[in-house]
Every structure is written in structure tokens, then in C-alpha cells.
């Protein structure tokens, strides 16, 4: 008995294949500009931290109806990040 054929899937874990490469190259450009203009270095570092947050929001919004467990995992990741920000404010 052979398993059913799987079609090649360009999306992994609900993310489009272009999201992380695009985020990476935007970060590289911002950090390179930050070398010449140090005021932009903060934007590059902030973007590096923002890419996973944007990915979680993307999965939450687009994947909620397709795969509820994946959407719930993205919501929990965002809630955990929010909790870290709140607790960091207390400390």
C-alpha cells in the first residue's frame, strides 16, 4: 500500500515562502545603512525583532480558519511576548 501523493508545499507552518527572506533582506539593508548613518541602526535592530512578530500575526490572521491549532499557537506566542513586555516594564 502506497501513501497518498503529496503536492510540493511552498508554505511551511502557515507562512508564505517569501516572508522570512524578505524580512532578512530588509534587515540587511537597514543594518548596512546603519553603518553609514548610525541613527538607522536602531531601525535595523528593531526590524530584526519585529519579523517574527509579523510572522505570528500573519499566521494568526490568515491561518485561523484553515488550522485552528496553528492560529491558537500564534495567538499564544503573541500573548507570551506581550507578557514579557509587561513584566519587563515592572522590572
Amino acid at each position: 500500500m502506497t501513501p497518498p501523493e503529496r503536492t510540493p508545499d511552498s508554505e511551511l507552518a502557515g507562512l508564505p515562502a517569501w516572508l522570512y527572506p524578505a524580512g532578512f533582506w530588509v534587515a540587511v539593508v537597514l543594518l548596512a545603512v546603519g553603518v553609514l548613518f548610525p541613527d538607522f541602526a536602531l531601525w535595523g535592530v528593531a526590524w530584526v525583532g519585529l519579523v517574527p512578530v509579523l510572522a505570528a500575526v500573519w499566521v494568526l490572521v490568515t491561518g485561523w480558519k484553515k488550522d485552528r491549532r496553528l492560529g491558537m499557537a500564534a495567538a499564544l506566542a503573541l500573548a507570551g511576548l506581550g507578557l514579557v513586555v509587561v513584566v519587563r516594564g515592572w522590572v
Side-chain angles (χ1 to χ4, degrees):
M1 177 177 262
T2 60
E5 287 188 35
R6 293 183 55 180
T7 58
D9 196 5
S10 64
E11 296 187 16
L12 301 173
L15 293 175
W18 56 267
L19 183 66
Y20 271 114
F24 169 78
W25 286 110
V26 169
V28 166
V29 169
L30 287 173
L31 291 171
V33 169
V35 170
L36 299 175
F37 304 102
D39 292 338
F40 285 102
L42 179 64
W43 288 99
V45 172
W47 180 257
V48 169
L50 190 63
V51 170
V53 174
L54 292 175
V57 169
W58 179 283
V59 169
L60 178 63
V61 171
T62 62
W64 184 258
K65 290 187 179 183
K66 294 180 202 172
D67 187 355
R68 186 70 47 108
R69 292 181 302 167
L70 186 61
M72 185 58 78
L76 286 173
L78 289 170
L81 181 63
L83 185 62
V84 166
V85 170
V86 168
V87 170
R88 181 179 170 222
W90 290 342
V91 174

